[in-house]
Amino acid sequence: MCRILGAPRTLLPLLAALLQASVEASGEIALCKTGFPEDVYSAVLSQDVLEGQPLLNVKFSNCNGKRKVQYESSEPADFKVDEDGMVYAVRSFPLSSEHSKFLIYAQDKETQEKWQVAVKLSLKPTLPEDSMKESREIEEIVFPRQLPKHSGSLQRQKRDWVIPPINLPENSRGPFPQELVRIRSDRDKNLSLRYSVTGPGADQPPTGIFIINPISGQLSVTKPLDRELIARFHLRAHAVDINGNQVENPIDIVINVIDMNDNRPEFLHQVWNGTVPEGSKPGTYVMTVTAIDADDPNALNGMLRYRILSQAPSTPSPNMFTINNETGDIITVAAGLDREKVQQYTLIIQATDMEGNPTYGLSNTATAVITVTDVNDNPPEFTAMTFYGEVPENRVDVIVANLTVTDKDQPHTPAWNAVYRISGGDPTGRFAIQTDPNSNDGLVTVVKPIDFETNRMFVLTVAAENQVPLAKGIQHPPQSTATVSVTVIDVNENPYFAPNPKIIRQEEGLHTGTMLTTFTAQDPDRYMQQNIRYTKLSDPANWLKIDPVNGQITTIAVLDRESPNVKNNIYNATFLASDNGIPPMSGTGTLQIYLLDINDNAPQVLPQEAETCETPEPNSINITALDYDIDPNAGPFAFDLPLSPVTIKRNWTITRLNGDFAQLNLKIKFLEAGIYEVPIIITDSGNPPKSNISILRVKVCQCDSNGDCTDVDRIVGAGLGTGAIIAILLCIIILLILVLMFVVWMKRRDKERQAKQLLIDPEDDVRDNILKYDEEGGGEEDQDYDLSQLQQPDTVEPDAIKPVGIRRLDERPIHAEPQYPVRSAAPHPGDIGDFINEGLKAADNDPTAPPYDSLLVFDYEGSGSTAGSLSSLNSSSSGGEQDYDYLNDWGPRFKKLADMYGGGDD
């Protein structure tokens, strides 16, 4: 069998408890007094003292909270005290009488004031059962033996042993490796066995935490464990021979890591924010704070308790809130929350493990900020009992007065926003009150016009309340009331006509100067002494006039119902009434004259032109009458033909079809084609009736079988319409303008052509002497130059025969002579412009000419000339020395020069 050797398993929980340093302290709470509240602190330990073991917590009462205290131990080699009062062992030692008592000192760092307290340690008595367990030898756990098979039948095998878990405290200080258990097999007596363990913590990550002696089977831990990382290890132990053959079935070993209080509580947030309405009753939920502890939540190390350390401000009570020590719920415990006095509370919350044990538990703190929210516990209050304002009459959308209120609630919230209403003094609803969203003032506004002559003053009763009702239990009235006195200011108002429009009925045709009616206006300003004068504003037909003082309307022309200014028998005229107030005001009124018809218009034939055939068949002419009057002065009409001339009744006949239409037919069998004017007598039904002889122009034409005229000519005679005449005149004017523009354009074109032509008097025409010169040569100093060329141009030698050796450098190159035109010596009537144009074309095609029409380069003539200067032609000194009579032989073109120079003294 294989067994585990080690300390008795029943002692392991006791070992874990001893490593947790369970300490019992006692003391009584006394009144606040600076110093230690107890004279002696006692602690009972269940084992000897280990290094770093917490023993107990000493408390120092710091009433004002401003002292900075430093702790010291009378046995600094054995004990030390942290700033929070926790006493730790500096080293490991067995607890004896000499270590059972020592002193703790507390000294103020600023005043050096010192206090002390005694600490007494005692050892927990050892029970006989525990002594027996400690004296026990290490137990052996034998691997289950495999029973042999008998006669081929299976024997029931004993179940493997269930090995209890091994409990190992975390953060053990060693020494390491630390033996845990010993694994053995009963076959090690006959075989040489090797032991091993597998699993996480052994050969699997994290590796090397647990090791086993392969020979002795001793299982050990190599370093401190951390429960917060791994709370349980599951290993398997193996036993094999030296050849690696398994000799035992593997057994499971479970190692539980016992939790130690090595983690402080941690709040999820360092600052918690919550709200609570003002005026909340005690027990009102505010918020929940939460802290977590990495230690085992099922053990005391992870069981947290909450408490409130401080509250700021401490008004109206230092304990306005409390906290559920298990859930962290913060609720109110006192009444008196008033946002207008305290808007925010700050609480310091502490969370402590070990179920809040102040001696052994670890603590941490967080801040809870509780904002007191506003409720409507303050109604708006008017700043004055009476407000005053004034408004001009007949004005709307005018702010009369500003109503101001005060409200202690939070601004710009429904509990602060004021709502105004008029509770009295305005039965007709002429005023309204709007709230200014920024200032919360009430703006009294006029929404309907006010008449000073009716109401000179209003006294309004107004009330102000919040958008939301007051909170329950508030003793204040829900609204505030005030009075608004509004004075109406009298202003000059417009005069008005009554009735407007004014309708009268009159017959048309009234004579000039007839008084129609009196149209006057009224002045609403009864308390102002003002005069009203009348003027005419609109009279389309200029038929009326009005008296400026009394408003009497008289005709100045005959009223005509058939006038185009009359619509639906009604004529409209507008008049203006103006007062003499400051500023002067005016009003308009409309007079509508309903004109009654009289029989003042004779009927006329319609249409005025018609067509018919030369024979009575197959068509006739249907006519009617046009009368501008209306019933009963219009139809039915009577149609007849006059007695003279006699040809009318001889050639034509008229038949009445009904009261409005008649039919005109040929009476004879044939009437020659042409245009005939047929007079027709038309009489209306008025009383008395009115007759008129109206001319009907009838075109008699040749007709086809369908009764349609085949003549091309139409009726052309008097009676062309105004539109047609205007159209004809416009066409004629446009045609004349086009002709004029064409003439102007032709003249301008002729001027342009004449400007380009050379206009010469025939007597002065010297075109026969315009000769072409290719070049002037080098003058008299040029030895090879022949002056006879100037006298006989037709005998000019080409450049090709000129010796090459004497050519100047600035002469043009030798090329074929271009075909320049040569004028005949005989005079002819041709235009010199044609000759110049032909020469220009030849020059453009000349390859020897300089490009781009540049100036030609001619030969240098030298410094003197035997021919003399041309200026001598104009010199009176040389005129007598030369004979110019030969000019008379040159023809009529040189007659002018012959008269000037060849005529002797003349």
Side-chain angles (χ1 to χ4, degrees):
M1 294 179 66
C2 179
R3 51 190 178 181
I4 297 179
L5 303 179
R9 288 184 297 275
T10 57
L11 193 60
L12 292 177
L14 181 60
L15 177 63
L18 291 175
L19 290 176
Q20 287 186 165
S22 301
V23 180
E24 299 178 359
S26 62
E28 298 181 357
I29 301 175
L31 297 176
C32 183
K33 180 180 179 182
T34 303
F36 293 101
E38 301 292 338
D39 296 332
V40 177
Y41 282 92
S42 299
V44 179
L45 304 181
S46 58
Q47 66 171 27
D48 292 346
V49 178
L50 299 178
E51 180 182 353
Q53 176 183 346
L55 303 179
L56 75 163
N57 190 297
V58 295
K59 287 188 175 182
F60 183 85
S61 297
N62 191 357
C63 294
N64 56 13
K66 298 181 180 179
R67 294 181 181 271
K68 296 182 180 180
V69 180
Q70 182 179 2
Y71 297 99
E72 293 180 1
S73 172
S74 61
E75 301 291 341
D78 297 329
F79 306 99
K80 67 175 182 178
V81 186
D82 280 356
E83 293 182 355
D84 58 356
M86 182 63 70
V87 181
Y88 294 91
V90 177
R91 61 183 181 87
S92 300
F93 56 88
L95 189 61
S96 61
S97 58
E98 62 181 72
H99 298 105
S100 61
K101 294 182 180 180
F102 61 94
L103 298 177
I104 300 296
Y105 302 102
Q107 186 175 6
D108 192 325
K109 294 181 180 181
E110 296 180 358
T111 64
Q112 303 300 322
E113 188 176 357
K114 201 170 187 180
W115 298 268
Q116 70 177 22
V117 67
V119 178
K120 182 178 180 181
L121 305 178
S122 58
L123 185 61
K124 184 177 181 180
T126 304
L127 299 176
E129 183 181 357
D130 296 337
S131 301
M132 291 176 61
K133 290 180 181 178
E134 291 178 2
S135 61
R136 248 180 231 172
E137 297 180 358
I138 297 177
E139 238 180 312
E140 288 187 358
I141 299 178
V142 181
F143 282 92
R145 180 178 295 178
Q146 299 178 358
L147 299 178
K149 298 180 182 179
H150 297 281
S151 64
S153 61
L154 294 176
Q155 296 278 342
R156 183 175 181 271
Q157 182 175 337
K158 185 178 180 181
R159 180 182 296 175
D160 291 351
W161 288 14
V162 179
I163 301 176
I166 299 173
N167 296 322
L168 184 63
E170 66 173 333
N171 302 326
S172 176
R173 296 181 180 271
F176 297 103
Q178 178 181 350
E179 294 183 359
L180 301 179
V181 293
R182 185 175 298 166
I183 301 173
R184 293 198 56 192
S185 174
D186 56 359
R187 293 189 180 187
D188 61 353
K189 298 178 181 179
N190 302 324
L191 298 174
S192 177
L193 301 181
R194 297 294 183 267
Y195 301 98
S196 64
V197 290
T198 59
D203 61 341
Q204 298 177 17
T207 60
I209 296 179
F210 300 98
I211 60 175
I212 190 171
N213 189 313
I215 303 299
S216 64
Q218 178 67 45
L219 180 64
S220 304
V221 62
T222 61
K223 58 182 179 180
L225 303 180
D226 189 353
R227 190 203 67 84
E228 286 69 41
L229 296 179
I230 302 177
R232 172 180 290 189
F233 294 90
H234 189 182
L235 306 178
R236 303 198 77 184
H238 305 269
V240 297
D241 58 16
I242 59 176
N243 294 322
N245 298 320
Q246 180 176 318
V247 297
E248 297 284 1
N249 290 331
I251 60 174
D252 293 330
I253 300 175
V254 177
I255 300 174
N256 292 329
V257 182
I258 303 302
D259 184 40
M260 298 292 292
N261 192 16
D262 57 345
N263 290 281
R264 292 181 179 272
E266 295 291 340
F267 283 91
L268 297 180
H269 306 286
Q270 193 59 35
V271 178
W272 297 77
N273 294 293
T275 60
V276 60
E278 62 175 330
S280 297
K281 296 180 179 180
T284 302
Y285 171 80
V286 179
M287 61 189 299
T288 299
V289 297
T290 304
I292 58 175
D293 196 316
D295 292 326
D296 188 0
N298 299 319
L300 294 177
N301 299 333
M303 295 182 179
L304 305 182
R305 297 294 182 266
Y306 302 93
R307 71 190 184 105
I308 298 176
L309 295 183
S310 63
Q311 168 193 308
S314 59
T315 57
S317 171
N319 298 313
M320 295 295 294
F321 305 93
T322 186
I323 187 170
N324 187 310
N325 62 350
E326 293 185 2
T327 63
D329 294 342
I330 300 176
I331 61 176
T332 61
V333 294
L337 290 174
D338 190 350
R339 189 203 65 85
E340 286 73 33
K341 295 180 180 179
V342 179
Q343 298 183 2
Q344 192 177 81
Y345 289 91
T346 302
L347 307 181
I348 303 299
I349 309 299
Q350 182 186 56
T352 306
D353 57 17
M354 297 296 292
E355 290 188 324
N357 191 314
T359 303
Y360 312 116
L362 301 178
S363 302
N364 211 339
T365 60
T367 302
V369 178
I370 301 175
T371 301
V372 181
T373 59
D374 186 39
V375 299
N376 192 12
D377 57 346
N378 294 281
E381 297 181 1
F382 283 103
T383 58
M385 294 303 297
T386 304
F387 296 88
Y388 298 93
E390 60 182 20
V391 59
E393 63 174 332
N394 300 322
R395 294 283 298 276
V396 294
D397 298 330
V398 177
I399 297 177
V400 177
N402 280 18
L403 310 181
T404 56
V405 295
T406 59
D407 196 319
K408 297 179 181 179
D409 292 320
Q410 185 175 358
H412 306 291
T413 61
W416 178 81
N417 295 335
V419 177
Y420 300 88
R421 61 185 178 86
I422 300 175
S423 59
D426 185 24
T428 57
R430 299 184 180 275
F431 298 90
I433 305 179
Q434 298 177 351
T435 304
D436 189 326
N438 296 321
S439 63
N440 210 26
D441 292 346
L443 307 179
V444 181
T445 309
V446 180
V447 295
K448 293 182 180 180
I450 302 174
D451 187 8
F452 173 82
E453 286 70 26
T454 304
N455 296 289
R456 299 188 182 185
M457 177 175 289
F458 289 86
V459 179
L460 308 178
T461 302
V462 296
E465 56 188 2
N466 293 124
Q467 290 181 349
V468 295
L470 285 177
K472 295 182 180 179
I474 303 302
Q475 302 300 325
H476 299 286
Q479 65 183 14
S480 178
T481 60
T483 301
V484 181
S485 179
V486 180
T487 301
V488 181
I489 302 174
D490 189 17
V491 297
N492 188 20
E493 300 177 75
N494 298 322
Y496 64 92
F497 289 87
N500 190 12
K502 183 176 182 179
I503 302 176
I504 62 174
R505 299 170 65 90
Q506 293 288 342
E507 285 188 352
E508 64 174 329
L510 291 179
H511 298 290
T512 302
T514 303
M515 198 277 288
L516 299 180
T517 185
T518 301
F519 196 23
T520 57
Q522 300 179 11
D523 193 347
D525 299 310
R526 297 196 303 266
Y527 302 99
M528 296 183 182
Q529 300 299 326
Q530 299 179 148
N531 297 324
I532 297 178
R533 296 187 66 83
Y534 304 95
T535 56
K536 185 171 63 174
L537 191 62
S538 172
D539 183 10
N542 197 24
W543 290 344
L544 308 173
K545 70 175 182 178
I546 187 170
D547 189 281
V549 177
N550 56 26
Q552 287 186 355
I553 298 177
T554 309
T555 61
I556 58 175
V558 177
L559 305 184
D560 186 6
R561 191 198 64 84
E562 290 73 31
S563 170
N565 298 308
V566 178
K567 306 297 181 182
N568 299 323
N569 302 326
I570 296 177
Y571 179 77
N572 292 309
T574 305
F575 299 92
L576 181 69
S578 304
D579 61 21
N580 58 349
I582 301 176
M585 303 299 290
S586 61
T588 60
T590 301
L591 178 65
Q592 293 183 341
I593 305 175
Y594 188 89
L595 293 176
L596 303 176
D597 186 40
I598 62 174
N599 195 12
D600 58 344
N601 291 279
Q604 298 177 2
V605 68
L606 190 72
Q608 295 180 356
E609 296 179 353
E611 292 180 353
T612 188
C613 299
E614 294 175 332
T615 61
E617 299 296 337
N619 58 2
S620 59
I621 301 173
N622 292 328
I623 61 174
T624 185
L626 173 65
D627 195 332
Y628 292 105
D629 294 325
I630 59 176
D631 291 337
N633 297 320
F637 300 98
F639 300 90
D640 197 3
L641 296 176
L643 298 176
S644 63
V646 296
T647 57
I648 298 299
K649 281 201 171 186
R650 184 184 61 188
N651 296 337
W652 305 91
T653 180
I654 190 167
T655 303
R656 181 181 179 186
L657 299 178
N658 53 37
D660 294 326
F661 291 92
Q663 193 174 74
L664 182 67
N665 295 291
L666 278 175
K667 189 174 182 180
I668 60 178
K669 294 183 178 181
F670 177 81
L671 183 64
E672 185 179 358
I675 298 175
Y676 298 88
E677 293 183 353
V678 180
I680 299 174
I681 302 174
I682 304 176
T683 306
D684 60 21
S685 299
N687 187 16
K690 203 171 185 65
S691 298
N692 181 35
I693 298 178
S694 184
I695 302 299
L696 174 64
R697 297 176 62 85
V698 180
K699 175 185 178 183
V700 179
C701 59
Q702 297 178 359
C703 298
D704 55 14
S705 59
N706 297 325
D708 297 328
C709 285
T710 58
D711 295 349
V712 178
D713 296 336
R714 291 294 179 182
I715 298 177
V716 179
L720 283 177
T722 305
I725 296 175
I726 294 175
I728 294 173
L729 291 177
L730 288 176
C731 292
I732 295 174
I733 292 174
I734 292 174
L735 182 61
L736 292 176
I737 292 174
L738 292 176
V739 172
L740 181 62
M741 292 176 63
F742 179 75
V743 171
V744 172
W745 178 74
M746 290 296 295
K747 288 185 177 181
R748 181 176 297 178
R749 182 181 177 188
D750 292 342
K751 288 182 179 180
E752 291 178 354
R753 294 181 60 182
Q754 292 175 2
K756 296 179 180 179
Q757 296 175 356
L758 181 61
L759 301 178
I760 303 176
D761 190 350
E763 297 181 356
D764 299 333
D765 189 1
V766 292
R767 286 177 295 177
D768 290 346
N769 293 331
I770 298 177
L771 302 178
K772 177 187 75 65
Y773 298 97
D774 289 336
E775 55 189 34
E776 294 185 359
E780 288 82 359
E781 294 184 358
D782 189 345
Q783 298 177 1
D784 294 332
Y785 193 86
D786 189 1
L787 292 178
S788 63
Q789 296 180 4
L790 297 176
Q791 299 174 357
Q792 300 179 1
D794 294 336
T795 61
V796 175
E797 294 182 1
D799 289 341
I801 63 176
K802 187 174 182 178
V804 179
I806 61 175
R807 182 174 296 277
R808 295 175 57 87
L809 295 179
D810 55 354
E811 290 181 349
R812 65 181 180 180
I814 298 175
H815 290 284
E817 180 70 19
Q819 298 300 319
Y820 285 92
V822 178
R823 286 180 55 83
S824 175
H828 62 84
D831 193 350
I832 193 171
D834 296 334
F835 173 74
I836 295 175
N837 290 333
E838 291 176 2
L840 177 62
K841 292 180 181 179
D844 291 338
N845 297 326
D846 186 4
T848 63
Y852 310 111
D853 296 334
S854 61
L855 296 176
L856 297 177
V857 178
F858 298 97
D859 288 33
Y860 178 70
E861 294 185 358
S863 57
S865 174
T866 57
S869 174
L870 294 178
S871 62
S872 60
L873 295 176
N874 220 8
S875 175
S876 59
S877 61
S878 60
E881 298 175 359
Q882 297 189 23
D883 185 9
Y884 296 101
D885 293 337
Y886 63 89
L887 293 176
N888 295 320
D889 301 333
W890 284 15
R893 291 182 177 84
F894 291 91
K895 186 176 182 303
K896 192 75 171 179
L897 292 176
D899 294 340
M900 292 175 60
Y901 295 97
D905 295 337
D906 295 338

